[in-house]
Amino acid sequence: MSSLTHSEDILLNNRQKREWGEKTYPIWLLFNPKHPAVRHHIWTPILSVIQDNVFRKLRTRIDTSNIYIRYAVSDSGIVPNTQNWWDTKVDREINEFRELADEYEPRLLISFGAFPYEFVRRVYTIKPEKGPKYWGTTNLGDEFTKSIDNFDINRTNRIPLLRRIVASGKFVEDPFYSENYFEYAGTKISERIIENKERLDIWME
């Protein structure tokens, strides 16, 4: 886990950077630049569950040092909201990311929250396009379930995770929002990784 801690330190100390890691790595993470702490508050506990499950089953761990991490857009000021929905500058970012995804073909493309997921959908020209309020917790949860059920190692699997699981500063009692969410999401993702262990070059030596 030392590589994870090191990576998180780098991320938190270099907020102006756009991307980290290696594009050739099979796992990509896509974040909203307005919410950099999501990497720590959501991804870190989910990854911990993934690593634990992987170790228990395979007696190895995922090498996290080269995971490709990217902000969906380079300027947080163009992140769409209800008043300014999808500026043409975002379209240019979509085209840029589409070229990267077509070239490197990640196996797991994990996004965090509404905007990054809709961004990914538009990268892959999935219709109909959705507005800023559509991807609430329930709809993102449904999409996560579909992505796990339809997982195919021969293509890029678009896996949406929540950006936050709190309400009014406290964890909600519903297990989907509580710390059980980390266990649930991490377990589901780890199951697919373990099933396809021979097809993923992600293991620590």
Side-chain angles (χ1 to χ4, degrees):
M1 295 300 288
S2 59
S3 59
L4 170 63
T5 302
H6 178 65
S7 297
E8 287 296 329
D9 287 343
I10 292 174
L11 290 171
L12 293 174
N13 292 327
N14 293 275
R15 292 172 182 267
Q16 300 306 312
K17 286 186 66 174
R18 171 71 181 279
E19 59 183 357
W20 300 262
E22 299 294 334
K23 297 182 183 71
T24 55
Y25 197 81
I27 301 173
W28 288 18
L29 309 180
L30 194 67
F31 294 93
N32 183 337
K34 284 188 173 181
H35 307 290
V38 170
R39 293 186 299 258
H40 176 70
H41 295 303
I42 302 296
W43 174 240
T44 297
I46 288 176
L47 179 59
S48 180
V49 173
I50 294 172
Q51 292 282 44
D52 182 66
N53 291 341
V54 164
F55 184 77
R56 291 174 185 274
K57 191 74 173 181
L58 305 179
R59 294 301 173 187
T60 187
R61 292 187 183 277
I62 297 169
D63 183 353
T64 63
S65 59
N66 290 323
I67 289 178
Y68 182 58
I69 302 170
R70 183 181 177 91
Y71 288 136
V73 293
S74 57
D75 178 7
S76 61
I78 65 172
V79 173
N81 55 48
T82 52
Q83 287 76 38
N84 172 34
W85 184 239
W86 230 264
D87 188 281
T88 54
K89 294 178 181 177
V90 180
D91 291 333
R92 289 196 290 271
E93 301 270 12
I94 287 172
N95 291 332
E96 177 184 334
F97 191 83
R98 182 181 294 125
E99 291 178 2
L100 289 177
D102 287 345
E103 179 177 357
Y104 294 98
E105 298 182 326
R107 300 297 88 180
L108 287 79
L109 175 51
I110 302 173
S111 59
F112 296 78
F115 168 58
Y117 185 58
E118 179 61 22
F119 183 94
V120 167
R121 292 179 76 254
R122 297 189 186 205
V123 165
Y124 289 91
T125 61
I126 298 172
K127 303 292 183 178
E129 295 177 347
K130 301 294 184 180
K133 293 185 177 181
Y134 181 80
W135 295 117
T137 300
T138 299
N139 286 337
L140 275 180
D142 290 343
E143 290 295 297
F144 175 82
T145 300
K146 291 176 186 176
S147 72
I148 295 299
D149 290 345
N150 299 317
F151 193 94
D152 182 353
I153 197 61
N154 296 307
R155 61 174 174 80
T156 297
N157 295 276
R158 302 176 296 272
I159 302 174
L161 293 175
L162 301 182
R163 176 177 68 79
R164 61 177 182 173
I165 55 173
V166 296
S168 302
K170 298 181 180 179
F171 283 108
V172 182
E173 292 302 319
D174 188 326
F176 189 76
Y177 293 89
S178 71
E179 290 184 358
N180 288 335
Y181 175 73
F182 302 140
E183 184 71 27
Y184 168 76
T187 297
K188 291 296 184 182
I189 294 172
S190 67
E191 288 173 352
R192 295 298 177 260
I193 289 174
I194 292 167
E195 288 172 1
N196 295 281
K197 60 184 184 297
E198 304 296 339
R199 301 285 303 278
L200 291 168
D201 185 15
I202 60 175
W203 309 111
M204 295 188 72
E205 297 180 355

